[in-house]
Amino acid sequence: MSRRVKLALYALLCVLCVPFVFPTWWMVTSSVKPISDIFAFPPALVPSRFDFSTYGRVFELQPFGQQYLNSLYIAAVVTAGTMAVAAMAGYAFARVRFPGQNLLFLVVLVGLLIPSEVTIVPLFQMFHAAGMTDTHWPLILVPILGAPSVLATFIMRQFFITLPGELEEAARVDGLGRFGTFVRVALPLARPALGAVAIFTFLHSWNLYLEPIVFLSTPSKFTLPQALTQFVDAYGSPLWNVQLSAATMTALPVLVVFVLAQRQFIEGLAHTGLKG
Amino acid sequence: MTDLGDRVAERPATRHRHFWTIPRRDALVGYLLVSPQLVGSALFVLLPLGLVVYYSLQEWNVLAGTFEFVGGDNYAKLLADPNMGQVLTSTALFSVGLVVLNLALALALAILLDQRLRGTTLFRTLFFSPVLVSLVAWTIVWQFLLQQDGGVNGLLGVAGVDGPNWLRGETTALLSVVVVQVVKNVGLNMVLFLAALQGVPRQLYEAAQLDGAGAWTRFLRITVPLISPTILLTSIITVVGSLQVFAQIAVLTQGGPGMSTTVLVYYLYQQAFQFRHLGYGATLSVLLFLIVAALTLLQWRLRRKWVFHES
Amino acid sequence: MKAPGKLAALTLAALLAVTACGGGGDAAPAAQGPQPLRMSIWTSNEAHLKLFNEIAAEYRKSHPQVGEITFDPIPFENYTTTLTTQIAGGNAPDLAWILENSAPDFVGSGALVPLKSKVENAGELVPAATRLWERDGELYAYPFSTSPFGVFVNTDLVKAAGQKTPRELIKAGQWDWEHANEINKAVAAKGENGLTILNFDYKAWDNLATVWQGWGARAWSEDGGTCQFNAPEMVEAMTFMHKAVFTDKSMPGPGTAVDFFSGDTAMAVAQISRAAMLEDATFKWDLVPLPAGPKGEYAVIGQAGIGVLKKSPKAELATDFLAYFTNAANSAKLAAYFPPARGSLLTADTMAKTSPMLDGDQLQDVVIDGIEKGVVKPSHTGQAELAQTVRAALDPLWKPDADVKAVLDGVCAKIQPLLGG
C-alpha cells in the first residue's frame, strides 16, 4: 500500500471516528463543567473550570451505589443464566435428533420476533399475581428464559451446527454419552460463541429501560438506566450536570474494562463461528 | 432407526435396556437440554402473546376497571385509523434507513479495519465504544448535541456549514434518530463482519487478482458470497431491532415533529400506556408481531437464494 | 380483567413452584396486624420526603392498625403512564398524587373514593382550587398543591439591557405583554435569551395557557365539546407568540436549550415553587405576576391532588390517613413546599413563615391573588391523547413562515372528533 493511500485511509478513519467519540467526550467533560458552560455555544471542548461537586450530589439524590450494584448483579446473573440456557438449547437443536425438533425450534424462535412493549402488560399482571413486582425477579427470569434469550440460543445453535461431526463420533467411541459429549467436548469448543452471547446479554440487561420502569417502584431497587432519569427537580426538569455525572459514572467503568480487556472481548465476539 | 421386529423378539428382562436405544437416549437428553428454554418460551413468550391476542378483543378501561368483550371492534378501528398511514410510512422509512445505513457502515468500517494498517486496534475500540455506553445516557447526550445551538452544529460550524435545527424538522428528526441509533450499535455488526472477513482465505483474493479481477469485482464475487451467512444473521438482528427502537424516540423526539418519528412501536406505547387504550394497544401489538414475523420469514426464505453455503 | 390475570397467575405460580423459584410469599396481604399503605408521588426531593415521613410517623402513633406508610416516587416524566400501568397490572397504590391534566380522567372514571365528608373543614377550600376535582358536588381528590404561575425575572440581565424592571412597570401600570416583549427583545439583542416558558419546550403546549389566557383564549369550550384553537382570540395570542419567537427573537426558538436558573435568560414563566431553585442564584431576581394581556390581568395555576383509589382493599384506612395528611395543621406544614388551597392559610403572614424565599409583595401578588382568581391549565377527559394530537398538529406553527390561522384550523380539524366523540 502506498504512503498516500495509507494517509488517506487514516484521515478517513479519523473523520469517521468523530460521531463515535465526541458524544462520550462531551458527556465526560460536561459532567465537570459549571452548568452555564453546558449551554454555551459553540460547545466548549474542555471545561472552563472543574466542578466535581455534582458527583457528590449524584449519591445524595439517589441511592446510587446500591443502584449500581443492582444493575451489576442483575446483569451478571442474567448473563450466566442465559449462557447456560442458550448453550443447552442451542446444542440440542443443532446436534441432537429428537421428534418434534424443528417445530419446537420454530416455537422458540417466536421469541425473537416480540418487542418487549408487546408483552409487557400481561407479564406485569403475571408477576404481580405471583407477588413479584418491585422485586428483581422479572428482570432476571424474563431475560434468561423468555424472548431475550432466544437470540442467544440462535447464536449457539448456529455455532454448534458448524462443529465437525467427527469430534462427536470420537467422543462416542471414547464412551461418552450425549450429555458427556456436550459438556466435555462441545462446550469447551464453544468458548468464543459463549463470549459473544455473554457480551450481547450483558449489554442487553445493562441497557434495559422499559421493564425496570414498569416493574420497580422503590428507589433502592432501581437499576442504572432508570436511575439516570431520576435526577430531576420536583417538577420534572432535569438537573443536567448531575444527570451527566451519573451518566458518566455508568459509562466510564464499562469503557475502561473494555479497553483493558478489549482483545479478548472483541476477539471473543469475532470468533463466534458466525462466519458460517 | 429402531427395528421393531428386533425389539419384539427380546425377552422382557433385557427389553428395558434395549428400550433406551442410543437414539432414544439422545432424544431424552435433547428434550432435557431444551426444556428450560421451552418452559421459558411457553411462560414468558407464548402465554403473554396469547393474552395480548385476547386483550385485543376487549375494550379495557383501566381507571373505571371495566373489561368488556367487543369482538373485532379494535381491528375495525385499526383499519379505519387515520394515523395508520403516517405511522406505517414512518416505520418503513425508519427501518429501511436504519438497516441500510447500519449494514453498509458496518461493512465499510470492517473492510477499512481489515486493511493491513497499524493502529486498527485503536480505531476498532473507538468504533465499538458506543455499544458499551448505556442507551439512556447516550440518548440524553445526543439530545444536547442535536439542539439548534448544540455540539453537532458547533462542529459543522467549524467546517463552515450552517446546520439545521435537527430535531425540529420532519426529515432531519427521522434522520437524527436513525443516525443516533446506528452510531450506537454499528460496532456490534462491524465486529461480526470483521470476523467474517478475516475468515476469507487471502489466497482467493490473490488468485482473483492474478486473473485480473478489480477490487469491486473481488468484493462482489468473493467477499460478499463468503460472508453471506454473517450478512444474513446481522440483517435479521438489525431488521428485528429496527422495529423495536423505543427509548431513543421517547427521549429525543417523542414521536414528533408532527408524527414524523411516530413509528409503530412508539404508537403502540402511546395508545396502550399513555392514552390507556389497552385493547387497541394489544391490537397494534398483534400487528407489530405479524409484521416482524413476516419480514423474518421472508429473510429466512431468501437465504436459500443468496446465502453462499449453509451447513 | 380478573380472568386472564388469574389464569396467568396460576400457570406462573405452578411453574415457579416446580422450578423452586418461590419468593412470592410477600404478596398476600396479611389479614390481621397493621396494614401498610402506599402513596404514589412524583417528587423524590429529600426535604419533601422527610416531611411526609414525619407526618406519617405522627399518624401511626395514634393509629396502630396502620403499618408502614411508604411514599413511592415515580419519575414525573412518565408519572401518569406508570401509575396506570400499575393499576392495569393490579398493583394500584392506596393513594396517589394526580396531575391536573389527568384529573378529568381520574375523577370522571369513578376510580377515586369520594372525600367531601372526610376532609377536615372542606368548606374553606378555595373554589378555584377544587373545581377540577369535583363532580356532582362531591370532591374526589384533595388539591394539596395549587401553584400559580408567575414570571421570574433576572433583574441583572434586564438592567444590563438598559430596560425598566417589571417591578417598575407594575408601579407605572404598564406590566403587559407588549412591554414585557420589548424588554426581552432588548435582552435578546444583547446576545442573551429573552423569555422562556418552563417545561414548554415546544411540546407541552398546555403551558402556553399562561400566555393565551391574557387574550381570553381557550383550548376548548367550557363544556369541553368544541375546539377553540381557531377562535379569533387564540389566533391573536398565537400570532403574538409566533412573532416573539421568529421576528423579535424575544423568546428562544425551538431546539434551543436555555436554563434560567443558571442566569442566561431574562424571564421565565414558571410555577412559584421553582423559587427553591434560586437559593444559590448568582444574579438578582424577582417574581412578578403574569403580564396583563389585551383582556386585562389574569392568573393561571397548575394543580396536584391526592386521591384514594377505589381499587385499594384498604381504601377506608387510606381515606382516613388522607384526611389526617391534609388537615389544617399538616396543610400548614406542607405549605412550605406546596401552596395550600385552604383560605385560612392564604394570608401573606402565614405564607411568609413557610416561604422564606419570597417577600410580602411577591406572596400577595403572585401566590395569594393567583390562587384565588387563577384559571387551571386546560384539561379534558382523554387528555393524553388530546395532548399528543394537539402537539403533533401544532408543530408546523413553530417554523418562521407558518400560517398561524391555517395551523390552528388544522388543530381543530384533528381534535374535534376527540372532543365531540
Side-chain angles (χ1 to χ4, degrees):
Chain A
M1 218 180 293
S2 75
R3 261 184 84 107
R4 196 167 291 176
V5 174
K6 262 191 191 170
L7 267 178
L9 284 180
Y10 277 123
L12 184 59
L13 281 170
C14 287
V15 171
L16 282 173
C17 250
V18 173
F20 291 82
V21 179
F22 183 67
T24 312
W25 172 259
W26 189 85
M27 171 179 75
V28 176
T29 52
S30 295
S31 71
V32 293
K33 280 176 195 168
I35 184 117
S36 49
D37 272 25
I38 296 182
F39 293 96
F41 185 81
L45 280 180
V46 224
S48 63
R49 71 187 156 83
F50 289 86
D51 175 9
F52 288 98
S53 64
T54 52
Y55 280 80
R57 292 203 60 204
V58 170
F59 291 89
E60 281 167 23
L61 290 169
Q62 291 285 317
F64 196 71
Q66 179 66 45
Q67 291 164 343
Y68 216 107
L69 282 181
N70 292 342
S71 263
L72 269 182
Y73 107 83
I74 292 174
V77 172
V78 167
T79 305
T82 304
M83 284 162 77
V85 169
M88 294 196 310
Y91 180 77
F93 282 129
R95 311 296 310 191
V96 188
R97 297 281 152 265
F98 51 92
Q101 183 170 31
N102 288 332
L103 181 69
L104 291 179
F105 186 57
L106 275 182
V107 167
V108 167
L109 278 186
V110 171
L112 201 58
L113 313 178
I114 301 199
S116 46
E117 288 81 8
V118 171
T119 52
I120 190 94
V121 168
L123 282 175
F124 185 84
Q125 283 194 314
M126 287 161 63
F127 280 101
H128 177 66
M132 290 181 171
T133 43
D134 205 22
T135 73
H136 291 148
W137 283 113
L139 307 183
I140 293 173
L141 290 179
V142 175
I144 293 181
L145 296 169
S149 71
V150 174
L151 179 62
T153 298
F154 184 74
I155 290 176
M156 292 312 296
R157 175 185 175 270
Q158 296 307 91
F159 174 81
F160 283 124
I161 278 180
T162 63
L163 277 189
E166 301 87 63
L167 279 171
E168 291 187 324
E169 277 157 34
R172 185 146 292 181
V173 171
D174 290 346
L176 281 176
R178 181 51 90 169
F179 191 72
T181 314
F182 166 59
V183 174
R184 303 262 180 86
V185 180
L187 216 44
L189 288 171
R191 215 174 280 166
L194 282 172
V197 166
I199 293 164
F200 273 116
T201 314
F202 186 89
L203 291 174
H204 181 265
S205 172
W206 189 251
N207 281 328
L208 222 50
Y209 178 60
L210 180 69
E211 290 81 353
I213 287 187
V214 171
F215 283 114
L216 302 178
S217 50
T218 312
S220 64
K221 289 175 184 159
F222 284 179
T223 61
L224 288 177
Q226 189 181 12
L228 284 184
T229 59
Q230 302 276 320
F231 295 103
V232 292
D233 64 27
Y235 294 86
S237 290
L239 301 164
W240 297 113
N241 44 2
V242 185
Q243 201 174 39
L244 287 168
S245 306
T248 302
M249 279 190 275
T250 65
L252 266 196
V254 185
L255 284 175
V256 169
V257 169
F258 170 69
V259 168
L260 292 179
Q262 65 108 4
R263 178 165 286 197
Q264 288 85 329
F265 214 63
I266 285 188
E267 275 159 22
L269 194 58
H271 295 117
T272 51
L274 292 177
K275 46 191 174 240
Chain B
M1 282 193 179
T2 328
D3 187 346
L4 205 70
D6 224 26
R7 195 150 53 96
V8 173
E10 294 296 336
R11 282 180 310 170
T14 55
R15 201 178 138 182
H16 174 74
R17 209 170 74 206
H18 280 251
F19 177 78
W20 288 112
T21 51
I22 287 183
R24 281 211 165 101
R25 261 187 289 171
D26 262 24
L28 178 69
V29 172
Y31 286 124
L32 284 177
L33 286 176
V34 297
S35 57
Q37 178 89 77
L38 281 182
V39 171
S41 286
L43 203 54
F44 299 131
V45 178
L46 299 179
L47 175 63
L49 196 60
L51 287 172
V52 162
V53 174
Y54 174 68
Y55 296 159
S56 75
L57 304 172
Q58 316 288 330
E59 175 65 42
W60 183 359
N61 186 329
V62 180
L63 291 180
T66 54
F67 191 79
E68 189 185 338
F69 182 79
V70 293
D73 282 11
N74 285 321
Y75 290 88
K77 186 177 170 187
L78 178 70
L79 292 176
D81 189 338
N83 293 324
M84 239 20 236
Q86 168 81 62
V87 169
L88 290 177
T89 313
S90 301
T91 312
L93 284 175
F94 180 80
S95 289
V96 170
L98 191 126
V99 171
V100 169
L101 190 62
N102 187 328
L103 292 180
L105 186 62
L107 191 54
L109 289 177
I111 290 173
L112 267 177
L113 293 179
D114 194 35
Q115 307 304 316
R116 288 181 195 147
L117 278 179
R118 287 173 58 164
T120 48
T121 319
L122 172 69
F123 284 108
R124 193 178 65 183
T125 312
L126 295 179
F127 288 130
F128 193 79
S129 62
V131 174
L132 305 161
V133 176
S134 162
L135 179 62
V136 172
W138 181 255
T139 317
I140 289 172
V141 169
W142 276 94
Q143 194 191 359
F144 272 101
L145 297 180
L146 289 167
Q147 299 278 333
Q148 170 93 71
D149 293 343
V152 172
N153 285 346
L155 283 181
L156 287 177
V158 173
V161 182
D162 195 10
N165 197 349
W166 295 98
L167 295 175
R168 298 301 309 190
E170 307 211 335
T171 322
T172 50
L174 190 71
L175 183 72
S176 301
V177 182
V178 168
V179 170
V180 167
Q181 175 66 4
V182 166
V183 172
K184 168 90 176 74
N185 272 344
V186 75
L188 270 178
N189 284 343
M190 174 195 80
V191 171
L192 294 174
F193 279 134
L194 197 54
L197 287 176
Q198 283 164 355
V200 179
R202 300 263 162 187
Q203 307 91 284
L204 284 181
Y205 290 121
E206 282 152 25
Q209 208 158 7
L210 285 182
D211 289 348
W216 184 241
T217 317
R218 272 176 282 150
F219 174 72
L220 280 187
R221 294 284 166 80
I222 301 173
T223 317
V224 172
L226 281 176
I227 65 168
S228 54
T230 307
I231 298 181
L232 175 72
L233 177 83
T234 49
S235 62
I236 289 183
I237 298 176
T238 315
V239 168
V240 174
S242 76
L243 288 163
Q244 306 186 358
V245 165
F246 169 72
Q248 299 84 321
I249 289 176
V251 174
L252 284 177
T253 64
Q254 286 151 38
M259 290 189 71
S260 57
T261 56
T262 306
V263 298
L264 188 52
V265 72
Y266 194 74
Y267 189 57
L268 183 170
Y269 169 82
Q270 284 186 329
Q271 288 287 349
F273 295 93
Q274 295 189 320
F275 308 164
R276 297 189 287 276
H277 301 156
L278 281 151
Y280 189 50
T283 311
L284 291 168
S285 304
V286 173
L287 174 69
L288 177 62
F289 171 71
L290 290 177
I291 291 178
V292 178
L295 283 178
T296 311
L297 211 66
L298 186 72
Q299 284 171 298
W300 197 244
R301 285 277 145 122
L302 283 176
R303 89 187 191 282
R304 296 219 172 87
K305 290 223 157 104
W306 60 271
V307 171
F308 181 57
H309 61 105
E310 248 269 310
S311 313
Chain C
M1 185 178 82
K2 300 269 153 57
K6 266 194 190 130
L7 174 75
L10 281 178
T11 329
L12 183 69
L15 276 148
L16 289 174
V18 172
T19 48
C21 279
D26 50 359
Q32 276 110 28
Q35 302 277 304
L37 291 175
R38 183 163 68 98
M39 186 193 294
S40 295
I41 58 178
W42 58 71
T43 174
S44 48
N45 181 298
E46 268 177 284
H48 299 174
L49 285 169
K50 188 163 163 274
L51 176 59
F52 300 160
N53 283 321
E54 278 167 16
I55 296 177
E58 196 61 36
Y59 177 73
R60 286 179 59 198
K61 275 187 201 158
S62 51
H63 294 78
Q65 74 275 32
V66 173
E68 193 172 0
I69 300 172
T70 43
F71 297 92
D72 196 0
I74 299 173
F76 185 85
E77 178 101 8
N78 305 309
Y79 182 79
T80 307
T81 306
T82 311
L83 180 61
T84 44
T85 308
Q86 290 184 352
I87 298 174
N91 188 27
D94 305 297
L95 306 102
W97 287 12
I98 297 160
L99 216 71
E100 79 264 303
N101 61 22
S102 48
D105 283 330
F106 275 87
V107 173
S109 67
L112 302 173
V113 172
L115 297 173
K116 195 148 201 171
S117 59
K118 312 285 170 147
V119 168
E120 185 180 290
N121 196 4
E124 71 159 327
L125 294 173
V126 185
T130 53
R131 249 192 71 211
L132 195 55
W133 311 98
E134 281 178 334
R135 198 183 52 164
D136 306 331
E138 182 49 85
L139 182 71
Y140 286 93
Y142 179 89
F144 79 101
S145 175
T146 302
S147 190
F149 284 84
V151 180
F152 287 95
V153 183
N154 183 329
T155 40
D156 287 353
L157 282 187
V158 172
K159 282 184 185 152
Q163 299 291 309
K164 278 189 192 161
T165 63
R167 184 68 56 192
E168 288 161 357
L169 288 176
I170 290 177
K171 292 220 172 86
Q174 291 179 327
W175 179 233
D176 56 32
W177 277 106
E178 288 304 329
H179 282 87
N181 195 45
E182 288 308 315
I183 299 176
N184 290 312
K185 219 164 117 179
V187 173
K190 298 205 87 180
E192 301 287 349
N193 300 302
L195 175 132
T196 178
I197 298 171
L198 247 61
N199 288 19
F200 165 47
D201 197 25
Y202 296 87
K203 288 175 190 146
W205 55 270
D206 56 340
N207 290 300
L208 296 180
T210 54
V211 180
W212 76 47
Q213 195 69 38
W215 275 255
R218 331 174 39 102
W220 37 73
S221 57
E222 187 78 21
D223 63 3
T226 317
C227 172
Q228 299 198 332
F229 268 96
N230 54 358
E233 299 86 18
M234 183 64 91
V235 176
E236 228 180 286
M238 290 295 202
T239 307
F240 170 80
M241 262 183 279
H242 188 271
K243 177 172 157 284
V245 174
F246 294 101
T247 312
D248 302 339
K249 315 271 183 205
S250 54
M251 288 170 73
T256 310
V258 299
D259 185 30
F260 175 82
F261 302 99
S262 73
D264 64 1
T265 309
M267 294 183 199
V269 174
Q271 282 172 296
I272 54 124
S273 334
R274 293 294 180 93
M277 297 191 63
L278 287 163
E279 215 161 353
D280 307 317
T282 53
F283 53 88
K284 285 217 182 58
W285 61 273
D286 196 359
L287 172 66
V288 294
L290 294 168
K295 289 274 160 73
E297 289 179 16
Y298 65 102
V300 177
I301 50 182
Q303 266 201 325
I306 310 179
V308 175
L309 287 147
K310 263 192 191 151
K311 279 259 176 72
S312 160
K314 294 162 280 185
E316 210 165 311
L317 279 181
T319 311
D320 192 59
F321 174 63
L322 175 62
Y324 178 82
F325 193 76
T326 59
N327 68 20
N330 285 324
S331 290
K333 290 182 198 160
L334 290 168
Y337 306 106
F338 307 101
R342 288 186 179 275
S344 63
L345 295 172
L346 284 175
T347 67
D349 283 350
T350 35
M351 293 294 289
K353 283 180 209 139
T354 51
S355 307
M357 297 289 295
L358 302 178
D359 67 27
D361 274 359
Q362 295 170 337
L363 284 167
Q364 186 62 47
D365 296 353
V366 185
V367 185
I368 295 168
D369 293 356
I371 293 177
E372 276 166 3
K373 36 171 227 218
V375 177
V376 182
K377 285 199 296 177
S379 62
H380 197 279
T381 43
Q383 176 75 16
E385 186 168 12
L386 267 173
Q388 191 58 35
T389 312
V390 173
R391 200 274 302 142
L394 213 48
D395 273 335
L397 185 62
W398 311 121
K399 289 180 182 148
D401 51 357
D403 176 344
V404 177
K405 176 75 167 92
V407 172
L408 294 175
D409 280 338
V411 172
C412 278
K414 282 276 187 194
I415 66 167
Q416 191 55 50
L418 295 172
L419 293 172

